[in-house]
Amino acid sequence: MMKDNNKVLTYNNPILYSKKLEKVHVDICTPIQEAYASDSLAVEYYNKSLRTSSQDKILKAKNHETLAEINFDNTEYSLAGAYYDSTMQNLVRDSKPYRIIKRKRDNLDDVIYYEEIAVRDDSILNLMSLTDEAKLAYFTKYTDELKQKAEEERERQEALEALENNGINTVNNNISGGPPGIPGGPNQSSFYFYNQTTVSYGKNQFNKIWGDRPLEDNWRRSNKNTSNFNDDEVVDDLANASEDELFDPQFYIAKIPKGEKASDSIYQERNFAYYQLGIIYKEKFKEYNLAKDKLQELLKSNPEERLILPSKYNLFKIYELLGENDEAEIAKNDIISKYPDSRYAAILLNPESVTEDENSPEAIYNRLYKEFETENYAAVINEADKQILAFDGESIVPKFEFLKNARRTGF
């Protein structure tokens, strides 16, 4: 798509930008998004719009929603969920727009939950695999960075206290001493925030000390990232740690799980998260390449037996959907030769057997879905729980889970 140079000049016009900043979604963001194949410039301006002091909640909601949609399209589901949360904060609760966004946000719960587990467990497993020397080097670098940030924060705090004790008093003394009719003269208001000179001074001093900080809770903290160790016990340990402990690499090394039993447990949890993500990406979001990646990684990591066959069958279906016919044929033959007595082999040899078997998971699901349509929710939840246990590890399980939560999520 060709770029419109006139539009680019308009966007860079500071006068137009300052006059129409609150209309940035209409005047800036939308044309950019339409004019460029990449979303990066549009995202930049949407975020600029959100950083203004606009009180227009409709505009804020629209900006957050658009950023959520962009991240959703880029399969950044955790970020999309955060932007949907912000969108809802700027909408009237229980209004139709609010309910629409909430339904979209709720549909992301499962994928965000399992992605967080996968990322956390991959991080822990990576740390467990390091040598003692590598662990020490890793956390020494981490604690050195913590010390540097703590020192910078201390210096900023001291500078702010100096400003509070001396800077404002000096400026206020100048207010009463200047000539009449100009800033600082006797005709000017003595209230700090009514005087443009003192306000500008304060803003400049703040920016020198603190830099460009967003308006939010804990704004003084430059690093709000949480630790990769997300278990409640570890989080509590970190929260209650002394300064000496936080700056000691051995404190973190001691938190890394040890032993084969711990490793196996984390691998099982991570592998199940991969399996769930593969099915969710396939069934719910139709993101077949993402689903393929998760299931292929799962099969490489020595998963539990119960996950192997359903993963292979779902990969076969994904290969078909992606038009990768050679891969699909290999997967099909692998299932039939290695698991000849399985239900999956029977389906591959005779696809019509799925509809003929009244006790198949698909048939049970279809009957339960009819119950859902009659709004017999209590019965649906109870039966779904039973079938989730009965077909644990099979590809039908996420469908039962979605149906169980359908009333809440709008599925």
Side-chain angles (χ1 to χ4, degrees), residues 232-275:
D232 291 340
E233 183 179 343
V234 176
V235 171
D236 288 342
D237 287 346
L238 292 175
N240 297 322
S242 66
E243 186 174 279
D244 288 341
E245 287 176 323
L246 291 175
F247 295 154
D248 181 5
Q250 294 298 335
F251 174 73
Y252 300 93
I253 293 173
K255 304 300 177 188
I256 301 174
K258 299 176 179 65
E260 186 176 345
K261 184 176 180 181
S263 176
D264 289 345
S265 176
I266 296 170
Y267 266 113
Q268 285 184 12
E269 182 182 58
R270 194 283 308 269
N271 287 343
F272 185 70
Y274 272 24
Y275 174 76

Side-chain angles (χ1 to χ4, degrees), residues 252-308:
Y252 300 93
I253 293 173
K255 304 300 177 188
I256 301 174
K258 299 176 179 65
E260 186 176 345
K261 184 176 180 181
S263 176
D264 289 345
S265 176
I266 296 170
Y267 266 113
Q268 285 184 12
E269 182 182 58
R270 194 283 308 269
N271 287 343
F272 185 70
Y274 272 24
Y275 174 76
Q276 291 290 79
L277 287 168
I279 301 303
I280 290 168
Y281 286 139
K282 170 179 173 280
E283 299 289 344
K284 198 169 187 180
F285 297 119
K286 313 303 178 187
E287 291 288 347
Y288 300 124
N289 282 306
L290 279 178
K292 180 176 74 171
D293 290 344
K294 291 298 182 185
L295 294 176
Q296 286 178 336
E297 282 299 313
L298 167 64
L299 291 173
K300 292 176 184 177
S301 59
N302 191 29
E304 295 176 79
E305 186 67 30
R306 69 189 180 97
L307 299 179
I308 296 175

Side-chain angles (χ1 to χ4, degrees), residues 26-166:
V26 175
D27 295 337
I28 297 178
C29 298
T30 303
I32 288 178
Q33 199 169 4
E34 293 173 352
Y36 294 90
S38 171
D39 289 327
S40 59
L41 192 55
V43 168
E44 178 183 344
Y45 278 96
Y46 281 118
N47 282 308
K48 282 186 178 180
S49 175
L50 290 172
R51 287 195 294 269
T52 68
S53 58
S54 170
Q55 300 302 310
D56 186 345
K57 287 198 168 186
I58 295 176
L59 174 65
K60 288 182 178 180
K62 186 61 180 176
N63 286 339
H64 282 299
E65 182 185 0
T66 306
L67 287 167
E69 298 292 345
I70 290 172
N71 281 284
F72 185 93
D73 290 342
N74 292 333
T75 67
E76 296 287 348
Y77 296 120
S78 293
L79 277 175
Y83 279 117
Y84 281 135
D85 287 337
S86 297
T87 303
M88 288 189 289
Q89 291 176 6
N90 289 282
L91 295 173
V92 177
R93 189 174 181 83
D94 293 330
S95 63
K96 184 177 180 180
Y98 180 93
R99 291 195 300 270
I100 291 172
I101 297 300
K102 187 175 188 305
R103 192 155 53 240
K104 291 181 179 180
R105 174 61 182 85
D106 287 344
N107 281 336
L108 291 173
D109 280 348
D110 289 332
V111 70
I112 292 173
Y113 173 73
Y114 287 113
E115 280 287 4
E116 287 177 350
I117 290 176
V119 170
R120 179 197 66 193
D121 289 352
D122 278 335
S123 175
I124 295 173
L125 290 168
N126 180 61
L127 288 172
M128 292 177 72
S129 70
L130 297 177
T131 64
D132 291 342
E133 293 78 9
K135 289 175 185 175
L136 181 60
Y138 178 89
F139 283 109
T140 298
K141 179 181 178 183
Y142 175 71
T143 52
D144 286 347
E145 291 172 355
L146 278 186
K147 291 176 186 177
Q148 181 180 349
K149 290 174 182 177
E151 180 63 22
E152 291 172 356
E153 200 72 14
R154 185 187 63 77
E155 291 174 358
R156 292 189 179 196
Q157 181 65 32
E158 290 177 353
L160 181 64
E161 289 174 358
L163 173 64
E164 291 172 344
N165 293 333
N166 302 317

